Amino acid sequence: MRAKEIAQAVVDHYRTTLDKLKASTTRPMRVKQVMIYLLRSYTGLTNRGIGGLLGMNYSAVSKAGSTIEHLMKVDNRVKQTIKEIVSSFEV
């Protein structure tokens, strides 16, 4: 499944686990934001589906997705990080 491949690429990049990510409530939630962006971009998952995967409410997924999209426009480091992660799962 593509979502699992993407999730694994993100947690590998940030040297964490999906379980730790689900349990995390600290802010900023950059790792979750990046994963949400990639899952939205490369899968057909809805906000509700992504929320189920990450243990988040669908409205929080929507907000986090909007935040990371904005950050990508203003912070080249965020954009570069996402490109690096994409290159690890895209063939």
Side-chain angles (χ1 to χ4, degrees):
M1 179 179 199
R2 187 92 170 150
K4 287 183 181 180
E5 183 183 359
I6 292 168
Q8 192 60 52
V10 173
V11 296
D12 286 351
H13 181 82
Y14 286 100
R15 295 184 179 108
T16 188
T17 66
L18 192 54
D19 290 335
K20 285 181 184 177
L21 189 60
K22 284 182 186 179
S24 173
T25 58
T26 59
R27 298 198 193 297
M29 301 185 304
R30 187 59 41 86
V31 181
K32 283 185 180 180
Q33 291 169 341
V34 168
M35 189 175 298
I36 288 165
Y37 174 80
L38 292 173
L39 289 171
R40 279 179 160 185
S41 299
Y42 291 91
T43 71
L45 288 175
T46 62
N47 286 345
R48 210 174 285 279
I50 294 169
L53 182 66
L54 297 177
M56 297 172 68
N57 185 295
Y58 72 91
S59 61
V61 170
S62 178
K63 174 75 172 152
S66 296
T67 300
I68 194 69
E69 287 172 5
H70 171 73
L71 284 172
M72 286 179 61
K73 292 176 184 174
V74 298
D75 188 341
N76 284 331
R77 290 174 298 173
V78 173
K79 196 174 196 175
Q80 184 59 37
T81 297
I82 289 174
K83 284 182 182 180
E84 289 170 11
I85 295 169
V86 168
S87 71
S88 72
F89 68 81
E90 199 171 59
V91 179

